[in-house]
Each structure stands twice: as C-alpha cells, then as structure tokens.
Amino acid sequence: MSSSDPHPPAEPGLRWADLGHHEQLLVTGADVVIFIEICTTAKGSDLLTGGGCEGFFCDARGWVIDLALIRRTNDGLVLRMGPGRAAPLRSHLDRYHIREDLELLDQSEGLRSLLVSGAAASRWLENHFDQSLPAAPA
C-alpha cells in the first residue's frame, strides 16, 4: 500500500470498498461519557475501550439531528458521521456544554473510510495498523 494508492492490494481472500469522506469528532474529558449519553440514544457507559455503537443525537424536543458511530478509546469517545456533519454536531454539543469537563476536537481533515473484508481481512488489518481488532463485535 503506497501513499499514492491508499487501498489494499488485490490478493486472494481480501476485498475492499472505498466508502469516501467521513467526518469525526474526538470528545475528551472526565464528563464525556455522561454528557454524550444525555445528548444521544447510545449507552456509552456500557462500551469497553475499542467498542462501539450507533447513536442518534437529538435536540431538546427529542427530534433527531444526526446519527453517529460512537467508539470508546483510551482518550474518550470518537464520533464518526457523514460528510458535512461534524461542524453542525459540534455546534449543537457546544450549545448544551456548559460546565462539563470535556473538549470537542474536530479530526475530520483528510479522513476517508475503507471497508476491508474477506478471509484475509483480519490478517491484513493487523499487519498494517497499530490498533488491535475488537475481540468481539460491538
């Protein structure tokens, strides 16, 4: 895999699909899990490090404003959403964030998603990334 071609090479048992640009917020701080649980349908406190789930973010009336994939890391929670969605979600969360100990960091620049599957996918991912695969599906 070269810097000019970010896709896995063709090899038996390995398939990939470019899912395009996505956006991402990293939410860190002592109150991150409690705060995100208040703002979403997800139960972040049940997530182990490396685990993830989906969550709907709602406004004060309960209307859905966004859907995000939520993953727990050692640093906090990573919120992954579609293109053009990080800034509006960050603005929404900033509106309700008053005294909580947390910070919202936009990590969207240059972020692309790649689906890697097939019998050789686990081996390929473990050989090319420094993060372990989850032991069980989230």
Side-chain angles (χ1 to χ4, degrees):
M1 193 164 85
S2 71
S3 59
S4 63
D5 182 14
H7 304 117
E11 65 178 70
L14 184 65
R15 303 289 181 265
W16 59 266
D18 188 343
L19 301 178
H21 176 70
H22 284 81
E23 294 190 353
Q24 178 170 296
L25 297 173
L26 172 63
V27 189
T28 61
D31 298 329
V32 63
V33 173
I34 293 168
F35 178 74
I36 295 300
E37 281 187 352
I38 291 169
C39 296
T40 187
T41 58
K43 184 81 169 141
S45 58
D46 288 348
L47 295 175
L48 300 175
T49 300
C53 64
E54 294 176 326
F56 287 102
F57 285 83
C58 303
D59 65 13
R61 299 168 294 182
W63 293 15
V64 174
I65 60 169
D66 220 327
L67 169 68
L69 298 174
I70 301 168
R71 187 173 51 87
R72 192 160 196 170
T73 68
N74 291 329
D75 300 326
L77 294 175
V78 173
L79 312 177
R80 171 80 59 100
M81 68 282 313
R85 301 304 310 151
L89 183 57
R90 182 178 183 176
S91 177
H92 170 75
L93 295 175
D94 273 337
R95 179 177 182 190
Y96 294 102
H97 162 50
I98 300 169
R99 294 175 40 189
E100 295 83 9
D101 176 13
L102 62 92
E103 183 176 3
L104 296 158
L105 304 167
D106 191 334
Q107 298 182 319
S108 301
E109 189 164 334
L111 184 65
R112 294 188 63 82
S113 292
L114 185 67
L115 172 69
V116 180
S117 66
S122 294
R123 178 186 47 77
W124 188 89
L125 290 167
E126 299 227 350
N127 288 337
H128 290 86
F129 292 92
D130 59 0
Q131 184 175 359
S132 298
L133 295 173

